[in-house]
Amino acid sequence: MRKKKDDLTKKYIKEIKSADVWSVFKIVADFVKGFDELGELGPTVTMFGSSKVNSENRYYKKAQELSSMLAQRGFNIMTGGGPGVMEAANRGAFGYKDVESIGLNIDLPFEQIPNKYTTTDLNFDYFFSRKVMLVKYSIGYVIFPGGYGTLDELFEALTLIQTKKITGVKVFLVGVEYYKPLFKFIESKLYKNGMISEEDFKQIRLTDDLQHVVDELEASILEQIEFLKEHKLEDTQYYRILEEFSRDKNIEKKS
């Protein structure tokens, strides 16, 4: 009897280890897929927000409007690929010539049904690999009202900027009424108690002015070009993409 229990224990441990090994391959596959499909994107904006709002919701409408404004200026739009705000953002960009409407979906037991407004649609097994792809290839993040997942993505982005893992990226909270209490908490508790610096706090732009978001994201193209020049990176593909984009779209520095 003892031997039988030991044999079962060994078998159980072996199965767990085997599953862990296969998990490594699945993780690598997630990253390879993302790098391969997204590595040569032009300027892209990632938009986050609740999956639970419908097309009559004001934030759905705002996300669709902003996405359309950005796509009209040549920006690709990337989302988590699901319903709600994600659908609205993909919908706003869908159909614009030479613009990608990208959805990075994830397999969930509920909620996450891919929306029909994507031109590029990728499925991920893991939240963390999907999240890397959502932030890695974007020049800006627009955060519409949402729940735990949206807040997780917001603070992940802010942490990456704070620790200089990504540079030249702008973060916008759209939904002043919704986000003002959180913004105040960050200011009165985190900033005032020295948990974050003034520079960290200024990374967040709270606004409902959609044209301001577009203008700021266009300005960030020029800022990144200057940054790359300062660091002698004119020979990189990324520099060439940004420089060509700014020239084609007639983006000029505003006085």
Side-chain angles (χ1 to χ4, degrees):
M1 186 70 175
R2 175 70 179 267
K3 184 178 184 303
K4 187 175 181 181
K5 283 183 68 176
D6 288 345
D7 288 343
L8 286 172
T9 300
K10 289 177 183 177
K11 182 175 181 293
Y12 181 60
I13 292 171
K14 186 177 180 180
E15 286 175 352
I16 291 174
K17 288 182 176 178
S18 175
D20 288 343
V21 170
W22 280 109
S23 291
V24 171
F25 288 113
K26 288 171 71 178
I27 292 166
V28 171
D30 263 3
F31 282 112
V32 170
K33 174 172 51 186
F35 294 148
D36 186 52
E37 292 288 335
L38 307 175
E40 296 185 7
L41 281 176
T44 301
V45 178
T46 298
M47 296 172 66
F48 300 100
S50 174
S51 64
K52 294 177 167 56
V53 300
N54 62 34
S55 59
E56 297 304 310
N57 182 276
R58 59 175 166 161
Y59 295 120
Y60 183 108
K61 293 177 180 178
K62 274 186 172 289
Q64 184 177 349
E65 181 184 357
L66 176 59
S67 175
S68 180
M69 292 167 69
L70 288 167
Q72 195 170 34
R73 295 296 294 149
F75 289 96
N76 301 311
I77 300 298
M78 187 183 298
T79 78
V85 167
M86 294 174 282
E87 176 187 289
N90 286 131
R91 186 175 183 177
F94 190 71
Y96 277 89
K97 187 180 178 183
D98 300 325
V99 166
E100 294 289 342
S101 177
I102 305 147
L104 306 187
N105 222 297
I106 188 159
D107 292 324
L108 293 176
F110 55 89
E111 271 189 12
Q112 195 68 0
I113 301 166
N115 72 66
K116 60 183 180 181
Y117 299 105
T118 59
T119 57
T120 298
D121 189 23
L122 300 180
N123 259 342
F124 289 83
D125 285 306
Y126 296 95
F127 269 112
F128 59 86
S129 51
R130 171 179 176 255
K131 193 158 47 174
V132 168
M133 296 304 152
L134 284 167
V135 301
K136 180 174 175 59
Y137 294 110
S138 293
I139 65 160
Y141 313 132
V142 183
I143 320 292
F144 282 87
Y148 286 155
T150 302
L151 293 177
D152 174 56
E153 287 153 345
L154 165 64
F155 286 108
E156 175 81 7
L158 290 171
T159 301
L160 289 171
I161 295 169
Q162 180 191 51
T163 55
K164 311 299 183 187
K165 295 298 183 182
I166 52 177
T167 58
V169 179
K170 295 188 175 181
V171 179
F172 302 89
L173 296 181
V174 175
V176 172
E177 180 186 352
Y178 188 88
Y179 277 122
K180 197 170 184 180
L182 175 63
F183 189 81
K184 286 292 185 184
F185 171 79
I186 293 171
E187 180 181 30
S188 64
K189 298 301 180 183
L190 277 64
Y191 173 54
K192 291 292 175 65
N193 284 285
M195 304 300 177
I196 60 172
S197 69
E198 183 178 5
E199 181 184 2
D200 296 332
F201 178 61
K202 287 183 175 179
Q203 293 296 339
I204 309 169
R205 295 158 175 83
L206 179 63
T207 183
D208 282 327
D209 185 342
L210 302 186
Q211 186 59 54
H212 173 69
V213 176
V214 176
D215 292 343
E216 283 282 296
L217 288 169
E218 287 194 337
S220 75
I221 297 285
L222 301 179
E223 291 166 11
Q224 289 200 48
I225 288 172
E226 288 304 311
F227 176 85
L228 294 170
K229 279 183 180 177
E230 288 174 13
H231 291 80
K232 313 296 183 187
L233 294 170
E234 292 98 326
D235 291 335
T236 61
Q237 182 185 16
Y238 186 55
Y239 176 87
R240 289 192 290 271
I241 288 172
L242 294 184
E243 202 277 331
E244 182 180 350
F245 183 86
S246 68
R247 187 176 61 249
D248 290 347
K249 304 303 177 185
N250 297 314
I251 299 174
E252 298 179 352
K253 191 170 184 177
K254 292 180 171 58
S255 55

